[in-house]
Amino acid sequence: MKFRELSIEGLIEVTPQLHGDPRGMFTEWYRFDRLAEVVGHPLRLAQANLSVSSRGVVRGIHFADVPRGQAKYVTCVRGAVLDVIVDLRVGSPTFGRWEGVRLDDVDRRAVYIPEGLGHGFCALSDDATLSYLCSETYNPTGEHSVHPLDPDLGIEWPADLPLLSARDEAAPSLADAIATGLLPDYEACKAFTASLDEQN
């Protein structure tokens, strides 16, 4: 299992080792101990989600209030997606930057997304199926969205006509989210992460 830090602080791409033979394939797609060595603390497993999407569907950009936020460990168990992570932490050196990682059922990569970052994806195949391990349970009053097609984000979605949910269609722009104080604070996110590190 290989871990690679991406351009946004705290964001990690995980590439598992695949063991294949004529019978099929086996891999360890998540190891709490190995991830904890890289992140500085274990990922608390509070909820697991499964999402199935048709080709061209765009979901996101979603994020949760910090504290407590919601860290995620995401992999694609069927098909392929472009997984997109946006730094929404006001005051971060990479605020507003996005990074895309292809997740699919061939390389079996995963991404670790810490608290305070926004997350979304575009399905590159029909029945694209994502599995999420989450550090906190879903809190409807503490989860928010930024419009995925906002030109200020400039995300290059690989879909001619992205299909959005009604919720994502109604999401505020990045500018509106900043103006209304909706976004997480970089220093608050760092302090929260440091508190998790100190618990271990």
Side-chain angles (χ1 to χ4, degrees), residues 139-151:
N139 175 12
T141 62
E143 182 162 327
H144 313 284
S145 302
V146 171
H147 202 291
L149 306 184
D150 183 355

Side-chain angles (χ1 to χ4, degrees), residues 2 31 34 37 47 72 75 114 131 133 152 154 176 192:
K2 296 180 180 179
R31 281 279 302 265
R34 297 286 308 280
E37 290 173 4
Q47 182 172 316
K72 298 174 181 176
T75 192
S131 173
L133 303 180
D152 285 345
D176 286 344
F192 180 72

Side-chain angles (χ1 to χ4, degrees), residues 131-142:
S131 173
Y132 305 67
L133 303 180
C134 303
S135 66
E136 295 291 335
T137 56
Y138 174 67
N139 175 12
T141 62

Side-chain angles (χ1 to χ4, degrees), residues 19-93:
H19 304 277
D21 62 27
R23 300 170 302 158
M25 186 275 297
F26 172 83
T27 188
E28 294 179 344
W29 68 274
Y30 171 72
R31 281 279 302 265
F32 90 98
D33 54 342
R34 297 286 308 280
L35 182 66
E37 290 173 4
V38 176
V39 174
H41 58 269
L43 174 65
R44 176 178 180 264
L45 297 184
Q47 182 172 316
N49 301 333
L50 203 65
S51 170
V52 181
S53 302
S54 301
R55 184 190 302 269
V57 166
V58 169
R59 299 184 189 268
I61 301 294
H62 302 151
F63 66 98
D65 291 335
V66 179
R68 295 202 48 93
Q70 190 185 61
K72 298 174 181 176
Y73 189 91
V74 183
T75 192
C76 183
V77 297
R78 181 179 182 184
V81 304
L82 177 67
D83 206 69
V84 172
I85 304 93
V86 182
D87 192 346
L88 297 177
R89 302 168 296 188
V90 176
S92 167

